[in-house]
Amino acid sequence: MTGGGEAGGPARRPWAFAAMAGAVAGAGLQLQQATLWPPGAYACTLFTGLAGVWLLRRLRHRVGRGMGALALILGLLAGLGLAGARAVAYLEGALDPLVEGRDLQVVGVVAQMPQRSDGGVRFRLDVESARWAGLATGADVPGPLRPPSTVALGWYAENTGLWGRTAQGGSVTVESPRPPAALHAGERWRMTVRLKAPHGNLNPHGFDYELWLWEQGVQATGYVRNGLRDAPPERIGSTWRHPVERARESVRDAVFERIADRRFAGVIAALVTGDQGAIDRADWDIFRATGVAHLMSISGLHITMFAWLAAALVAALWRRSVRCMLWWPAPHAALFGGVLLAGLYALFSGWGVPAQRTVCMLATVGLLRLTGRRWPAPHLWMAACALVVAFDPWALMQAGFWLSFAAVGVLFATDAGAGQEGRPDMAARLRGLLREQWVVTVALAPLTLLLFQQVSLVGLAANAIAIPWVTLVVTPLAMLGTLAPPLWDVAARAVQALGWLLQVLAGLPFATVSTGAPPGWMAACGVAGGVLLAMRLPPSVRALGLPLLLPVLMWQPPRPPTGEFEVLAADIGQGNAVLVRTATHSLLYDTGPRYSLESDAGHRVLVPLLRAFDERLDTLVLSHRDADHTGGAAAVLAMQPQADLRSSIEAAHPLQALRPSQRCVAGQQWTWDGIRFEFLHPVAADYETADKPNAVSCVLRIDSGRASVLLAGDIERDQESALVARGTLQAVDLLLVPHHGSKTSSSASLLDALKPRLSIVQAGYRNRFGHPAPEVVQRYRERGIALVDSSHCGAVHWHSGAPQEWRCERAAARRYWHHRVP
């Protein structure tokens, strides 16, 4: 007897399932830590967990009841200890603060296929050696140099977006007249770089860039110094290192050379090499709106299909050799070969979480069949989950992990494939596929709302067409194109046809539904309700899932009461973006910077933030035309078609074509829910006399009668003096520091007139302008004004009901991988 027994797997050993579940939970618990324990604590925890599980296995017949609970606790200790030990080991290679802001000459190997754009090239470098650069003859060496092992670098064609702060905190001029050279994975280069610690924006419900860098093993970010006074970057030669990345890059570049339309080429490159960055941002919006985004990367379905094809090929070739057949049966060889080749394909495609999960499951199933054992489906699922978490504990923080494993778990729980034993006909197969898609769509809708605050209503119809089309037509053509490039042209036609259909579906007014981000417990109840609705149970029992499902679909984020308002100063780097919410209205003041030609604060920060709060903006205020205030405006306006636009931008500004703007003029005022809004600057005459955009920044005062806020844009001393002279300034509780803390603003007369309790500086970490200027910081301190900046605080939360208090996102959501700004 080979299945179900003690020797045949954990079918009669629920403690094994509990131990694996405990290990996953332990890793998740460790990821909630704000600071790491000492290394010895994790080592003891890991040893206790592993030794306990080993003893439990040996003494399982004597333990009796409570064995599952004990296994769960021991697994939790093992998972927590393993994740913590790995985190401690990684932290040992963190960037020395002494290195920040100083030029280094490094020698290293390009570790990943470079990402090219019109603005330059981004790449990852494995550092082999480093020395101080730019030191004058006889100058003292700053100290011992311990470079990080892996850094993410940008080699920019222009100055745009570069930070250039010195180690002492001053600003510098960044020159980069030399265009980026053609560099490839596996090449060794010598170049002068300037590094900084991994630092990203931290906002509620936002993307955790620092976690992503941590998971990728990147210990510093920076840029190549290629100004006229810098030693030019030098290619030393090719190496044998990173052959997979070199092959991926070659295939990706070949796809783009073959296919003229970059949109179609990007989809094909993503399906073959896993380079999701190759897909145009507008196309991603369509894929998400139609619920087919999972198909446009290397998914478990693609890996499974590849394994099946590889196994069939191996079996056919194996049967052609009598010697091979006598040595090992063809079914076993096909199973081993299919899993091995699928693993290599997953590695070639970037080794994402869905690929990891699928390879783990395939490998486990293959090993069990080769050894004559049989595990229940839930044990297979949990074993794959535990293996992925053991190799990459931080995968638990990825949306893809939860969607991938939840989808498979839901199919197991609902027995979606039941009733297809034997050889079902085509109609039965089609019904089975539709049922599986229906089950996954319904059950995962609450989880999707939690992770993305949006779910596609046309997803079921779109996937019914896209899954077979992408899986059976586009992907095979794309993969076979590596052997016969003309097939890429056929694949591009297939992508074009699918794209047309998806664009039609995405354009429907009911294509998506959005809600605010629900609490985690509510989403969990919603998933349980979705599973209950999809299970093969009597209708009266399935209907019990509705009470669990409805709360998450009807969730509304809490708002301030009438007569109060709240302010959220978003963490968007070097720029301004402030969300003001009353009981029934919302206003956004500025939209942050444009980070590059492909990215801006609107798409990366503000659109997800507004969606998470389920905001419908009444008014968007753009204080003035500078790019660090209007960079994300196009994305916000596209998401908020009902919002009025008020600004000081000129009539010929490109944004006027998207939404006609009403000029902000001193004296304009309105009231929302008992909260008074009033523009204090500029006066009408300023539009005729201003010599630069800062001079006509829209200054907005918000007042509840008990607490008030002043949003000052980029006004400078002259405008501050005019405001003081007009006598329109009154004391406020919160001040958005003018011009990000520039030395040209925050005059003594302004601060004396406003007397704020709290002042907020929205400025990028180690920005090249040196904001906030030291003399400005000192001016605030001399007056006892609390000064917080987004680099140290992240997003800042403030409420008029408690004007003396504020909350920093970096403190509230601190995790051990987050950068501690000195």
Side-chain angles (χ1 to χ4, degrees), residues 417-745:
Q420 296 192 49
E421 291 82 3
R423 294 182 177 273
D425 56 21
M426 186 59 68
R429 291 176 184 270
L430 181 60
R431 287 194 299 270
L433 289 173
L434 289 176
R435 170 170 168 73
E436 289 180 5
Q437 186 59 40
W438 160 254
V439 166
V440 171
T441 299
V442 172
L444 295 192
L447 185 59
T448 304
L449 287 174
L450 172 67
L451 296 172
F452 305 111
Q453 296 81 56
Q454 177 178 289
V455 67
S456 174
L457 296 182
V458 298
L460 185 62
N463 277 282
I465 299 171
I467 287 178
W469 188 254
V470 173
T471 304
L472 302 177
V473 179
V474 178
T475 302
L477 288 171
M479 290 191 297
L480 291 173
T482 58
L483 302 176
L487 291 178
W488 282 333
D489 299 325
V490 183
R493 295 292 185 185
V495 171
Q496 183 179 19
L498 179 63
W500 177 84
L501 175 64
L502 295 179
Q503 195 164 9
V504 171
L505 292 175
L508 296 175
F510 55 85
T512 61
V513 61
S514 298
T515 67
W521 65 267
M522 189 178 291
C525 291
V527 172
V531 172
L532 195 59
L533 282 172
M535 293 182 73
R536 295 177 180 273
L537 295 171
S540 59
V541 178
R542 293 166 63 185
L544 296 177
L546 286 174
L548 295 174
L549 191 61
L550 288 178
V552 72
L553 298 177
M554 302 177 66
W555 165 254
Q556 292 291 328
R559 301 190 69 90
T562 300
E564 302 290 352
F565 69 102
E566 63 183 21
V567 171
L568 173 61
D571 184 6
I572 39 77
Q574 185 67 26
N576 281 156
V578 179
L579 177 64
V580 182
R581 305 170 75 227
T582 70
T584 60
H585 296 275
S586 300
L587 175 146
L588 181 64
Y589 183 88
D590 283 338
T591 58
R594 174 175 288 277
Y595 303 120
S596 67
L597 294 176
E598 301 87 17
S599 177
D600 57 64
H603 277 100
R604 278 176 47 178
V605 178
L606 298 177
V607 167
L609 181 67
L610 294 172
R611 185 176 290 133
F613 283 108
D614 196 22
E615 288 295 343
R616 284 179 54 84
L617 291 179
D618 295 275
T619 300
L620 171 62
V621 176
L622 299 178
S623 62
H624 61 296
R625 75 180 322 276
D626 284 358
D628 57 335
H629 296 254
T630 62
V636 172
L637 289 172
M639 178 205 183
Q640 303 282 343
Q642 77 291 333
D644 293 329
L645 178 61
R646 299 192 181 203
S647 72
S648 63
I649 61 176
E650 67 277 14
H653 195 283
L655 288 173
Q656 295 277 13
L658 299 179
R659 190 78 47 84
S661 171
Q662 178 184 351
R663 271 189 175 183
C664 57
V665 179
Q668 293 174 346
Q669 55 185 281
W670 66 97
T671 300
W672 288 340
D673 305 315
I675 308 301
R676 185 166 174 260
F677 294 76
E678 181 182 5
F679 284 116
L680 305 184
H681 183 82
V683 297
D686 290 335
Y687 285 100
E688 307 301 326
T689 60
D691 58 351
K692 55 183 176 180
N694 289 359
V696 289
S697 289
C698 303
V699 177
L700 180 63
R701 178 185 171 88
I702 309 165
D703 192 350
S704 69
R706 294 173 300 278
S708 57
V709 169
L710 188 74
L711 306 179
D714 276 0
I715 59 172
E716 299 181 348
R717 286 194 190 96
D718 290 343
Q719 292 78 50
E720 294 173 358
S721 299
L723 282 168
V724 173
R726 288 199 296 267
T728 56
L729 295 181
Q730 302 174 25
V732 298
D733 295 279
L734 185 152
L735 170 66
L736 180 64
V737 173
H739 204 183
H740 321 288
S742 165
K743 63 181 66 176
T744 63
S745 301

Side-chain angles (χ1 to χ4, degrees), residues 13 51 55 67 145 191 193 205 239 307 319 340 361 465 493 499 525 553 556 573 595-596 609 623 663 700-701 755 776:
R13 292 183 290 174
L55 284 174
M67 189 173 180
L145 180 57
M191 55 184 60
V193 301
H205 309 289
T239 71
R319 290 189 178 96
L340 177 63
M361 283 190 173
I465 299 171
R493 295 292 185 185
C525 291
L553 298 177
Q556 292 291 328
Y595 303 120
S596 67
L609 181 67
S623 62
R663 271 189 175 183
L700 180 63
R701 178 185 171 88
K755 299 181 178 62
V776 171

